[in-house]
Amino acid sequence: MNEQERAEEHLRTIRRLMERGTIYRAISAPTALVGGLLSLAASGIWLVSPVQNPEHHCNFLLLWIVVFLLTAGTNTLFIVHGARKRNEPVFSASMKAACSALAPPFLAAAVLTLLFVVAASDPLNQVTLGITWAICYGLGLLATSHFAPRSLTILGWAFLISGLGAVAAVRFAGNPMIWTLIDSHAVLFMAATFGLFHLIYAACAWPRAGAAPEL
Amino acid sequence: MLDFDKLDRTIHEKGRLAIMTLLATRPSWAFQDLKAELKMSDGNLVTHLRTLHQGGYVAVTKAMLDRPQTSYALTEKGRTAFQDYLRVLEQIVKAGKR
């Protein structure tokens, strides 16, 4: 092996180790706190507000689009602030990898949402939307698991299992009146998953202060 | 002419190169995480970390969380040395391709 080949081999080893070693948290603890609180607030508003109407699926959709946009905007601000503080590029290689992993499930969620809204005669639209978002979000988080911290992987599994469990519960409910009852309280599913799960994650993932490094 | 003699001898050892590479990926690494990732024995890892620390490339932090934990991080000198090491490697590769 000549020197060039040895150098290339060293660089390959370095690249492999760097890929294995890098951890990227697609959802930071502060973002999860904001998202969780917004979700609980939105759920509370929905439950007490006169705008809730099982036949006006658009109100439900619009409410959660607002929550999503506010949370995504907050996440963007945190990412930009963090990158500037560390004097690093905002669009790092890790961030690009996370976006690549999240894109397919999020696209699926967007397309399925559009299809369910178009079929507005389906009485299960609200709970169907909520379940779809939970499953797609869970799959998105799990798609980042090979470079994400364990807490984020657990959050992904929590969303996925909750969504699949809700599908099973709705499917085997049997009585159409129960379906209507479930659908009219889809917001409770949203509060439990997007609200509570995010708050628990934020509490577990919140950065802890350590001792100052010594030289 | 560039060759391997130009490379930093402190970093240019298989075990220490792997340690420096991992340390470059995160703000700090706990000893147990480094050991698990590199599959090194305690003694081997400690020896390499001591060499890097004596060279001023690695900082050691001892914290008491739920249990005593020792973490390692690259110093500015270590980060610069690692980047210089990568630069020399890349120049060797480029020189070989001419």
Side-chain angles (χ1 to χ4, degrees):
Chain A
M1 193 185 276
N2 62 28
E3 284 201 347
Q4 184 207 341
E5 287 166 349
R6 284 167 63 200
E8 283 176 345
E9 179 60 32
H10 276 67
L11 285 171
R12 274 194 292 273
T13 301
I14 290 167
R15 182 180 297 122
R16 195 171 58 247
L17 281 170
M18 292 198 97
E19 283 170 3
R20 268 169 40 195
T22 301
I23 275 188
Y24 186 78
R25 192 182 286 274
I27 310 292
S28 66
T31 298
L33 176 65
V34 168
L37 291 174
L38 282 173
S39 297
L40 289 179
S43 302
I45 290 169
W46 183 260
L47 285 171
V48 302
S49 168
V51 303
Q52 66 155 309
N53 185 328
E55 292 183 15
H56 291 167
H57 306 293
C58 284
N59 290 344
F60 183 86
L61 174 62
L62 284 171
L63 177 67
W64 289 101
I65 284 178
V66 168
V67 170
F68 172 72
L69 289 175
L70 286 174
T71 308
T74 306
N75 193 35
T76 304
L77 286 173
F78 284 140
I79 288 172
V80 170
H81 174 71
R84 285 190 182 152
K85 200 174 160 186
R86 294 186 303 271
N87 206 25
E88 289 171 2
V90 173
F91 292 101
S92 62
S94 301
M95 189 197 180
K96 287 175 190 167
C99 289
S100 296
L102 289 168
F106 276 41
L107 176 63
V111 171
L112 289 170
T113 298
L114 194 60
L115 290 174
F116 290 141
V117 168
V118 165
S121 59
D122 182 353
L124 286 178
N125 250 1
Q126 290 182 18
V127 75
T128 306
L129 283 175
I131 290 173
T132 301
W133 295 336
I135 290 175
C136 289
Y137 185 59
L139 289 173
L141 295 180
L142 288 171
T144 70
S145 61
H146 66 280
F147 54 80
R150 194 162 160 262
S151 52
L152 203 63
T153 304
I154 292 172
L155 181 68
W157 277 112
F159 271 94
L160 180 62
I161 289 169
S162 299
L164 294 175
V167 168
V170 165
R171 172 66 181 84
F172 294 111
N175 191 325
M177 286 187 66
I178 295 179
W179 295 349
T180 306
L181 186 68
I182 290 173
D183 186 51
S184 63
H185 290 87
V187 73
L188 295 179
F189 174 81
M190 297 296 288
T193 53
F194 288 92
L196 206 57
F197 284 2
H198 275 129
L199 291 181
I200 294 171
Y201 167 79
C204 295
W206 204 267
R208 287 183 290 183
E214 57 192 56
L215 293 173
Chain B
M1 182 179 158
L2 288 168
D3 57 37
F4 274 79
D5 290 338
K6 300 284 186 299
L7 291 167
D8 186 330
R9 289 288 143 192
T10 305
I11 300 174
H12 189 58
E13 188 283 332
K14 190 180 168 193
R16 291 196 292 274
L17 174 58
I19 292 169
M20 291 290 286
T21 304
L22 287 182
L23 291 179
T25 63
R26 296 182 202 174
S28 71
W29 277 78
F31 179 84
Q32 293 301 328
D33 293 339
L34 279 173
K35 185 182 158 189
E37 191 63 44
L38 296 170
K39 297 180 177 43
M40 278 187 193
S41 65
D42 282 9
N44 202 11
L45 183 55
V46 164
T47 301
H48 286 315
L49 285 167
R50 190 176 296 131
T51 303
L52 291 170
H53 180 54
Q54 285 168 352
Y57 291 171
V58 166
V60 184
T61 304
K62 295 184 196 294
M64 181 63 75
L65 301 172
D66 48 347
R67 62 183 192 284
Q69 194 174 78
T70 305
S71 300
Y72 299 84
L74 281 185
T75 60
E76 275 308 308
K77 183 182 174 186
R79 197 167 294 278
T80 304
F82 184 64
Q83 285 166 356
D84 290 341
Y85 181 88
L86 290 179
R87 208 167 291 123
V88 173
L89 274 185
E90 285 165 4
Q91 285 169 352
I92 291 173
V93 169
K94 279 182 191 162
K97 283 180 178 168
R98 281 196 217 112

